[in-house]
Amino acid sequence: MIYLGPVPWLQLGKKMSILSQRRIYKLASLQEARVRYPNKVKHLLYPFKDLETYLDSSVDRAQFQLFHPCVEELLQAEKLFCSSPSHKIDYFVSAERMDHTPSLKQPEVCFIGRSNVGKSSLIKCLFSLSPHVDVRISKTPGHTKKMNFFKVGGAFTIVDMPGYGYRAPRDFVDMVEPYLFSRKNLIRTFLLVDGSIGLQKMDHIGLEMCEETGSPYVMVVTKIDKCGRGSLLRNLLKFQDVIKTQTSMCFPQLFLVSSLHFSGIYLLRCFIAHLTGNLKMKDASQNGFV
């Protein structure tokens, strides 16, 4: 066998991946981003700002910015995602069945969505201030086969759920539904949908499953960097219409995120910190967040 050395395009792909990760870690801290990229911060905090000017004046913008913390609150929430000797953040355990899940009392949030919607990438982004946290990402749809638990000190737990749809685990229903219906410390489910392609048939099934639990959930729009502004805006308006007309337990505001450009990550961190009782908001009681 003749060895010709590494394939050039594979090396290039690895270099691009490393450069992309470095860019993300530079944006991991809001405090640092404010210094490095002062003109970008507003758009990183609130990605909807890039689309607002394209909206017709008749469209209600309030639903897109119900949760609107101040910078001080965002910075306070950020501290929760920084690991320290007294506040350890790390992968905890994986489970294939409800009776395998850890017995934890702290508040819990879970991320669920169609295979390849970007759950693991988003969670890795949330934990980018603690890069040692082992969040495994794959380009292959259906990579996550178990419920993966990540402890954020004693503050809360984040659970990465298997994706449904294409290449979902065979026992997905037996694994996930009992968790969603009976996990007592689960305070919010984050349902991820792909902003670049809009709602698919499997997304509607995910919505129905979340509605059937009778518990509150939130819709997170991923991959907002993967399409033009016009297409994204049309998809967002369709998402909003579905929330308004077909759901009763979904939080009215969409959370827009890009794991590639870090857009919306600071806001989502803050929302999680508040939901789990680790951050008190000045105006939260007025807007129904408590």
Side-chain angles (χ1 to χ4, degrees):
M1 182 180 291
I2 300 174
Y3 177 64
L4 298 176
V7 181
W9 64 266
L10 285 177
Q11 287 185 310
L12 179 62
K14 288 181 180 179
K15 288 179 180 178
M16 292 296 290
S17 177
I18 292 170
L19 288 172
S20 178
Q21 287 181 351
R22 286 176 180 171
R23 281 198 297 269
I24 287 176
Y25 290 135
K26 283 182 180 179
L27 293 169
S29 168
L30 173 57
Q31 186 69 50
E32 187 174 346
R34 292 173 73 195
V35 177
R36 285 176 174 265
Y37 312 101
N39 297 325
K40 283 183 65 175
V41 169
K42 196 170 188 179
H43 299 280
L44 291 171
L45 285 174
Y46 306 108
F48 180 68
K49 291 288 183 185
D50 290 335
L51 305 169
E52 198 169 5
T53 55
Y54 297 91
L55 273 180
D56 186 90
S57 58
S58 62
V59 177
D60 181 14
R61 290 160 169 76
Q63 295 293 76
F64 288 93
Q65 47 198 12
L66 294 172
F67 184 74
H68 204 279
C70 63
V71 172
E72 289 74 18
E73 290 165 336
L74 288 159
L75 290 171
Q76 189 177 342
E78 187 172 278
K79 295 176 183 177
L80 283 168
F81 289 84
C82 297
S83 191
S84 69
S86 60
H87 179 72
K88 293 182 179 180
I89 302 174
D90 215 340
Y91 162 78
F92 185 57
V93 73
S94 296
E96 293 182 341
R97 291 284 187 278
M98 188 60 190
D99 54 0
H100 295 165
T101 56
S103 179
L104 298 169
K105 293 183 179 180
Q106 61 197 49
E108 205 160 271
V109 297
C110 76
F111 287 77
I112 192 169
R114 187 171 45 80
S115 296
N116 205 33
V117 75
K119 295 185 305 301
S120 299
S121 296
L122 175 55
I123 293 173
K124 191 173 184 67
C125 237
L126 291 171
F127 286 142
S128 56
L129 289 164
S130 303
H132 65 278
V133 179
D134 185 19
V135 184
R136 297 182 180 180
I137 299 173
S138 173
K139 291 184 179 180
T140 304
H143 177 72
T144 304
K145 298 295 185 183
K146 301 177 181 179
M147 299 181 283
N148 298 318
F149 292 73
F150 299 87
K151 285 187 69 176
V152 182
F156 56 89
T157 306
I158 288 179
V159 187
D160 185 7
M161 308 293 281
Y164 50 79
Y166 177 64
R167 297 197 67 174
R170 291 182 180 178
D171 52 355
F172 174 87
V173 173
D174 295 333
M175 183 192 310
V176 174
E177 285 199 356
Y179 170 86
L180 294 177
F181 278 85
S182 62
R183 187 71 168 175
K184 292 182 179 179
N185 57 327
L186 176 64
I187 59 166
R188 201 65 50 109
T189 296
F190 288 89
L191 176 65
L192 276 58
V193 295
D194 190 328
S196 66
I197 61 175
L199 283 177
Q200 304 294 293
K201 181 179 179 181
M202 291 306 302
D203 293 319
H204 285 283
I205 294 174
L207 277 167
E208 290 174 7
M209 181 170 60
C210 288
E211 284 289 316
E212 287 174 2
T213 66
S215 300
Y217 62 100
V218 181
M219 191 180 290
V220 179
V221 183
T222 65
K223 303 186 181 182
I224 62 172
D225 54 278
K226 299 294 185 183
C227 65
R229 293 177 179 177
S231 297
L232 176 59
L233 193 53
R234 283 192 294 272
N235 288 337
L236 292 178
L237 293 176
K238 289 177 182 177
F239 293 154
Q240 283 283 24
D241 184 61
V242 168
I243 290 175
K244 185 177 180 179
T245 61
Q246 300 179 32
T247 74
S248 60
M249 302 306 297
C250 188
F251 185 65
Q253 179 177 334
L254 296 166
F255 282 79
L256 283 59
V257 296
S258 166
S259 297
L260 181 63
H261 296 148
F262 220 81
S263 304
I265 300 300
Y266 311 121
L267 187 66
L268 189 57
R269 280 179 182 158
C270 192
F271 192 58
I272 293 171
H274 174 64
L275 288 175
T276 55
N278 292 284
L279 176 67
K280 291 185 178 180
M281 306 289 296
K282 293 179 181 178
D283 300 324
S285 58
Q286 297 176 15
N287 295 309
F289 299 126
V290 293

